[in-house]
Amino acid sequence: MCRWNAYFGQPLLMEELLFKMDHGLIDQSLHAKMGVETTNGDGFGLGWYGEHGGRPCRYRSITPAWSNVNLRELAANVESPLFLAHIRATTGTPVQETNCHPFRHRNWLLVHNGVIHGFEQMRRELMLAIEPSLFGDVSGSTDSETLFYLALTFGLTDDPIAGLERAVGFVEATARSHGIEDPVQMTIGVSDGTRLWSVRYSSEHQSRTLFFSADVSALRELHPESERLQRLGDEARAVVSEPLGDLPGAWIEVPESTALIVQPGPDEQRRWV
Amino acid sequence: MCRWNAYFGQPLLMEELLFKMDHGLIDQSLHAKMGVETTNGDGFGLGWYGEHGGRPCRYRSITPAWSNVNLRELAANVESPLFLAHIRATTGTPVQETNCHPFRHRNWLLVHNGVIHGFEQMRRELMLAIEPSLFGDVSGSTDSETLFYLALTFGLTDDPIAGLERAVGFVEATARSHGIEDPVQMTIGVSDGTRLWSVRYSSEHQSRTLFFSADVSALRELHPESERLQRLGDEARAVVSEPLGDLPGAWIEVPESTALIVQPGPDEQRRWV
Amino acid sequence: MCRWNAYFGQPLLMEELLFKMDHGLIDQSLHAKMGVETTNGDGFGLGWYGEHGGRPCRYRSITPAWSNVNLRELAANVESPLFLAHIRATTGTPVQETNCHPFRHRNWLLVHNGVIHGFEQMRRELMLAIEPSLFGDVSGSTDSETLFYLALTFGLTDDPIAGLERAVGFVEATARSHGIEDPVQMTIGVSDGTRLWSVRYSSEHQSRTLFFSADVSALRELHPESERLQRLGDEARAVVSEPLGDLPGAWIEVPESTALIVQPGPDEQRRWV
Amino acid sequence: MCRWNAYFGQPLLMEELLFKMDHGLIDQSLHAKMGVETTNGDGFGLGWYGEHGGRPCRYRSITPAWSNVNLRELAANVESPLFLAHIRATTGTPVQETNCHPFRHRNWLLVHNGVIHGFEQMRRELMLAIEPSLFGDVSGSTDSETLFYLALTFGLTDDPIAGLERAVGFVEATARSHGIEDPVQMTIGVSDGTRLWSVRYSSEHQSRTLFFSADVSALRELHPESERLQRLGDEARAVVSEPLGDLPGAWIEVPESTALIVQPGPDEQRRWV
């Protein structure tokens, strides 16, 4: 159970979103307001695309984001048009880099805030359902990584929403056979370098929070002193676990059981089946 | 600004104090109640004496105490008659083992909760005042370690309270010459393997909290299920930054500007000059 | 591909074996002589039993053994009658604590020097063969840990040699079906706190080296200055990947395809089937 | 005692120099050929400038370079026209990020291979000679960092060679007063983002090795398969502790007691006084 932020738009110095916003993600690592855990200090990860997409670069570490000097250096020096950042609060699995998000497969990245309840009982069955050719790539031990590989198995790279729906459906069916109720709790961020898919869903329909920026003018208003934000085009969007700053109207909640697709041209919302 | 716990008495499995108490130190690393910071996740340290005193063993790490698997292992397997544990919330200096408490010199250990305000401005002067033969042993960059070496310089190993008083006096004098007000904020735990000295002091006389266990019968009552605690003799004492558990009367606050000496025979309180 | 040392006998300060011997294990982490790799700097682990056996304590870390200050502290302060130490040179799997040896199940410890060739291709099949009730305990991603859980599945806790033989047989059969030749290369150390089983085996019958101390008088002669060694009883044995020191006759090679059982009373050698 | 590599020229993906060359720096971290130590596994650091110079970005870590996944990621994704990389073999000071090179002051970076003999005895005196306004920035405990701050004190930012000469002279004078012979052993790399100064010097005139690339055509020849290298202009230079690859004539040794200045236009060599 964690927090994540994602950005899509013109190249932005990553620290603008991660460090310089009031209540930005790194601040949330110490003092989250809306989650089950107030501290997200069990490692973190950052994945970013270059201007031409392709395989994203990734930096993950087991120390808390708030004290990680290298994260601060990279965020202050790297511009990216599309990045996902994640801070972790483990639900029991070890604090190790391979358990830090984002998970990656070729040009795909995924971050997850939530949990699969009963994962320990189901782990073997869920892992067996992973496409054998992908099995060798599973390098950590989290529910989140297993969900990622299930979604890949069920077609994520062809249709991310459909792949995730099938993976979640498979987890829910497996849980039923174990007598586990309401197994899935999640907000998910996924990207291939061209679009950003975000999903808010839980089996019990009481999902972790997820917000997106109203439009870039709201972000500009939040930080009139930031020349960089003033230059951003209208395509720019941030998707975040918790609203940053206090500006009324700046952040819109992603509705329960909904997928949001941020992309060139008009964004899209889809009811999650 | 941190938290610390110390124990003096019959050999005790360290986890009894650190992990098994309600709101024990490791729990405080995630959720402190009484301090300025609620998260103390910038490393930790543990120093313990064997049954025959001598040079204590030390384990320090830069990861948060709550997720450190090795700490859990050691605490569950090592018994000690005298140990000091510290969880760190940095006031700006790097998160590295050499900045983690306890600091050690021969058979002496010291832990510190607090801060020297204006340390950056005074660092050079304070370090110059350290006895040259000790200078080479300074391996970190904290105000706390500098204070330890100043106290060693001013006689800590002969008389810990006097050595600390002189060191604090020197810091306060140096601060005055820089126009820095109320420079010292501290609770300190010190041991040589035979006694445990604890001090609560601040230049402004509004010091961080410090408590000690009323007597061992209180601890026994707190945890009637712990056979080990039931077997403890009446000498046993714990000194802690925040009370553990909710038992009324179990914990006594160390008064402002006071030193407490836990030792074989009657303990002692001294007004800090 | 790694190195390991084990000790069985009267309680010994661990540093006597790990740090104070010429060419001891920690020295081997920087400069091994006999192995495929000369540097074993990808983490390490140490597991030790108390005087009454039971669940052993474990310390594992991802930094090199030679520079790990905490390892030096523990080895200089903890006495144990039975311990296993391991330094790692990864064959590709991540450097994380869950991939460091010894692996542990209840009161059992296992260390492995070697490799399962073709492990990536076989990983899924090998993991599926693990007893489902044990599957959830697999927390790393190495061939060694998988081999440990296979051996547990095949009866290691009832008969370690038989359990290991069946596990190795299963791996070799799986390899044959994949067209992989000579899959297993290993020396293994196993203990339950009462005995120490050591095995030297490889599918190609050209196994990594393994030695045991001739008898304690040899060790005493090696280090006449060590009072501790002079006091050791005749039961004391060390088993090591590479001989320590230069004393002729001090170390006896475990023959190819052989298991050595160090135990109270006469030790035992068995031909590995 | 360490190894370092530096690059000056057209923007180059850092992995081209660090990972893809035969016997590149990361390979040297495991198997150096020419140094006193064959393993350089006590942390590493990388500093790089953007295309417009300014304050360089830095990534330092305490784990060995050869197994650091994040280093591999960054090197494979970041292009830079000027970067310095360093792998560390400690001469005794702690393995912590603040002891890893490059050291940085504003837009300046410095890496050092070598040692100040007798540093423990002289540390206090050398630190006292550091300009007081810079003293607070010293955050580690190495001889190298002290030398950097001495050079800054003695004018490095105005004239790097002169600043280093005076700093070294001061260390040598201090050593004489302590009866320490031949105190300084060094190769140094320094940059401000526009030039790259490299120095090979030792008090005994038997200095660690240092080489620079003959000209870029040699590098191109080394790796005809690298399109990136084929595109490099003739300004491109690499300066390295040990030659990379086996191409005869590709690398020229920097003479004893000599400074090399790589810059736009003709490079320059100066006799170190």
Side-chain angles (χ1 to χ4, degrees), chain D residues 51 96 102 105 118 130 142 155 173 187 236 266:
Chain D
E51 293 210 35
Q96 55 193 25
H105 175 73
I130 292 171
T142 60
T187 70

Side-chain angles (χ1 to χ4, degrees), chain D residues 109-129:
Chain D
L109 290 177
L110 178 143
V111 291
H112 172 220
N113 170 18
V115 66
I116 296 179
H117 294 291
F119 178 63
E120 284 200 21
Q121 294 162 253
M122 297 189 284
R123 186 180 172 211
R124 186 170 178 276
E125 276 168 79
L126 298 181
M127 285 189 75
L128 294 200

Side-chain angles (χ1 to χ4, degrees), chain C residues 69-227:
Chain C
V69 174
N70 292 314
L71 174 62
R72 216 164 276 263
E73 289 279 323
L74 292 174
N77 284 279
V78 177
E79 284 195 347
S80 166
L82 181 37
F83 59 88
L84 295 96
H86 184 275
I87 52 175
R88 186 167 182 245
T90 178
T91 50
T93 42
V95 178
Q96 54 192 25
E97 287 179 14
T98 54
N99 284 350
C100 292
H101 310 217
F103 301 103
R104 182 174 64 188
H105 176 73
R106 295 193 189 133
N107 59 318
W108 291 83
L109 288 177
L110 178 142
V111 290
H112 172 220
N113 170 16
V115 66
I116 297 180
H117 294 291
F119 177 63
E120 283 201 22
Q121 294 163 253
M122 298 190 284
R123 187 181 172 207
R124 187 170 177 275
E125 276 168 78
L126 298 181
M127 284 190 76
L128 293 200
I130 292 172
E131 160 67 30
S133 68
L134 293 171
F135 190 93
D137 294 340
V138 178
S139 56
S141 53
T142 59
D143 50 358
S144 303
E145 189 189 24
T146 301
L147 187 61
F148 177 46
Y149 279 97
L150 284 174
L152 286 168
T153 298
F154 288 117
L156 176 114
T157 61
D158 290 330
D159 180 341
I161 305 299
L164 280 166
E165 280 178 344
R166 283 181 220 126
V168 166
F170 180 80
V171 172
E172 292 179 331
T174 306
R176 268 192 300 279
S177 76
H178 281 267
I180 297 162
E181 283 185 23
D182 296 334
V184 177
Q185 174 61 258
M186 73 184 203
T187 71
I188 292 265
V190 172
S191 184
D192 66 349
T194 69
R195 280 177 181 73
L196 173 64
W197 292 266
S198 304
V199 176
R200 184 183 180 201
Y201 174 78
S202 59
S203 308
E204 57 180 329
H205 303 296
Q206 299 213 346
S207 305
R208 302 290 178 110
T209 56
L210 192 64
F211 296 83
F212 61 102
S213 55
D215 59 42
V216 83
S217 63
L219 278 176
R220 281 190 202 118
E221 233 172 294
L222 253 176
H223 289 274
E225 79 291 355
S226 163
E227 285 182 29

Side-chain angles (χ1 to χ4, degrees), chain A:
Chain A
M1 313 212 198
C2 316
R3 290 292 174 289
W4 57 270
N5 278 9
Y7 172 81
F8 176 99
Q10 287 173 271
L12 182 71
L13 207 55
M14 294 192 289
E15 68 173 8
E16 298 278 343
L17 190 68
L18 301 179
F19 286 93
K20 296 205 163 168
M21 294 277 178
D22 288 344
H23 198 56
L25 190 70
I26 308 311
D27 183 47
Q28 291 174 35
S29 69
L30 260 175
H31 309 289
K33 292 174 184 167
M34 305 186 95
V36 177
E37 308 80 16
T38 54
T39 305
N40 293 276
D42 300 324
F44 69 87
L46 179 58
W48 66 92
Y49 295 89
E51 293 209 36
H52 308 295
R55 195 173 193 249
C57 188
R58 186 166 58 165
Y59 175 56
R60 301 192 292 182
S61 176
I62 59 171
T63 64
W66 68 76
S67 63
N68 195 285
V69 175
N70 291 315
L71 174 60
R72 216 164 277 264
E73 289 280 323
L74 292 174
N77 284 282
V78 177
E79 284 195 346
S80 167
L82 180 39
F83 59 90
L84 295 95
H86 184 274
I87 52 176
R88 186 168 180 243
T90 177
T91 52
T93 41
V95 179
Q96 55 192 24
E97 286 178 15
T98 53
N99 284 350
C100 292
H101 310 217
F103 301 104
R104 181 175 64 188
H105 176 74
R106 295 189 190 138
N107 60 319
W108 291 83
L109 289 177
L110 178 142
V111 291
H112 173 219
N113 170 18
V115 65
I116 297 180
H117 294 292
F119 177 62
E120 284 200 21
Q121 293 163 253
M122 299 189 284
R123 187 180 171 209
R124 187 171 179 274
E125 277 169 77
L126 299 181
M127 285 189 75
L128 295 201
I130 293 170
E131 161 68 31
S133 68
L134 294 170
F135 191 91
D137 294 340
V138 178
S139 55
S141 54
T142 59
D143 49 359
S144 303
E145 189 189 23
T146 302
L147 186 62
F148 178 47
Y149 280 96
L150 284 174
L152 286 168
T153 299
F154 288 117
L156 177 113
T157 60
D158 289 330
D159 180 342
I161 305 299
L164 280 165
E165 279 178 345
R166 282 179 219 126
V168 166
F170 181 79
V171 173
E172 291 180 330
T174 306
R176 267 193 300 278
S177 75
H178 281 268
I180 297 163
E181 284 185 22
D182 296 335
V184 177
Q185 174 62 256
M186 72 184 204
T187 70
I188 292 266
V190 172
S191 185
D192 65 349
T194 69
R195 281 178 180 71
L196 172 65
W197 293 265
S198 304
V199 176
R200 184 183 179 199
Y201 174 79
S202 60
S203 307
E204 57 180 331
H205 302 298
Q206 299 213 344
S207 304
R208 302 290 178 109
T209 56
L210 192 63
F211 296 83
F212 61 102
S213 56
D215 59 42
V216 84
S217 63
L219 278 177
R220 281 189 203 121
E221 234 172 294
L222 254 176
H223 289 273
E225 78 289 356
S226 163
E227 284 181 30
R228 210 171 286 271
L229 282 173
Q230 305 316 311
R231 292 195 307 263
L232 284 185
D234 290 337
E235 285 276 29
R237 284 285 179 281
V239 181
V240 299
S241 296
E242 298 188 18
L244 319 181
D246 297 322
L247 201 68
W251 298 96
I252 300 171
E253 193 164 4
V254 175
E256 183 62 53
S257 303
T258 299
L260 168 72
I261 308 170
V262 177
Q263 56 194 348
D267 295 342
E268 199 181 323
Q269 284 198 23
R270 276 196 223 162
R271 183 75 192 163
W272 174 275
V273 184

Side-chain angles (χ1 to χ4, degrees), chain C residues 232-258:
Chain C
L232 282 185
D234 290 337
E235 286 275 30
R237 284 285 179 282
V239 182
V240 301
S241 296
E242 298 188 19
L244 320 181
D246 296 322
L247 201 68
W251 298 95
I252 300 171
E253 193 164 4
V254 176
E256 183 62 51
S257 303
T258 298

